[in-house]
Amino acid sequence: MLIETDYNRRAAVAYALNWAFARNPRFYDFEDIGGDCTNFVSQCMYAGCDVMNYSQENGWYYINSDNRAPSWTGVNFLRKFLLTNRGAGVYGEEAPLTELRRGDIIQLINRSGRFYHTVFISAVFTPVTPQNIFVCAHSVDARNRRLSTYNYADTFGIRIIGARKEVVIN
């Protein structure tokens, strides 16, 4: 049975700020084999919900560098997971930048329309503009970097709605 569980934005942001310029030894650093951005963002979200989805086909989990879901480390796979997840783990919905807040994520899109980078929102100030959204990231490590300083053609915001966990009732 699935039950709703909190997405603790404060814990997720604290994790992002703590590990923005470092690597948690519990997780492999994918920097030299394609980038660590989505791995880092997944770690941040996990810190905010403490639940993974171990589904072999559509899951979101990390056991080790060789045993993980594509959505844990892949930009496109993470977006698909968050927007379609009906099982355990975090889930979200597409949202414009003006509706995002700390603990949400943004994916950057290049001029060719390719999604190429995932960043984690650490702070948002009004008026909500790229100048007033601050992010943490890996694959060019960043801690409270203004979104406006990135070079991108477009953005895709994902508001984290919550998380679910599986419970067994006897």
Side-chain angles (χ1 to χ4, degrees):
M1 175 174 152
L2 285 174
I3 63 166
E4 290 290 322
T5 186
D6 289 335
Y7 176 62
N8 185 334
R9 291 174 182 276
R10 184 169 302 179
V13 170
Y15 184 95
L17 294 170
N18 186 59
W19 292 102
F21 291 126
R23 300 298 186 267
N24 183 336
R26 181 169 179 255
F27 299 94
Y28 185 80
D29 179 3
F30 294 92
E31 187 75 31
D32 294 331
I33 55 171
D36 199 54
C37 66
T38 304
N39 176 42
F40 173 68
V41 168
S42 286
Q43 292 172 43
C44 296
M45 291 187 299
Y46 178 67
C49 71
D50 196 34
V51 62
M52 294 183 186
N53 180 319
Y54 293 97
S55 170
Q56 291 299 309
E57 287 193 31
N58 314 340
W60 176 74
Y61 64 90
Y62 178 95
I63 296 169
N64 60 48
S65 62
D66 296 321
N67 189 357
R68 68 186 191 283
S71 60
W72 190 270
T73 54
V75 174
N76 293 315
F77 293 109
L78 177 62
R79 184 177 62 261
K80 180 180 177 188
F81 173 79
L82 290 172
L83 299 178
T84 63
N85 179 29
R86 303 291 178 252
V90 290
Y91 61 96
E93 64 186 3
E94 180 180 0
L97 293 183
T98 55
E99 294 179 14
L100 298 177
R101 59 189 179 139
R102 56 195 303 246
D104 290 332
I105 71 169
I106 298 171
Q107 293 191 321
L108 305 182
I109 306 166
N110 68 18
R111 289 188 192 120
S112 302
R114 183 178 151 271
F115 288 75
Y116 71 93
H117 193 42
T118 307
V119 297
F120 184 84
I121 300 175
S122 53
V124 178
F125 298 98
T126 55
V128 180
T129 64
Q131 182 75 13
N132 290 330
I133 297 174
F134 294 81
V135 300
C136 293
H138 280 182
S139 299
V140 182
D141 294 358
R143 185 178 194 267
N144 287 330
R145 178 177 171 179
R146 289 181 191 272
L147 180 63
S148 60
T149 66
Y150 284 88
N151 183 15
Y152 56 87
D154 203 358
T155 60
F156 189 92
I158 300 176
R159 178 183 30 238
I160 304 303
I161 298 170
R164 299 179 200 94
K165 67 180 176 180
E166 191 82 36
V167 295
V168 178
I169 300 176
N170 293 330

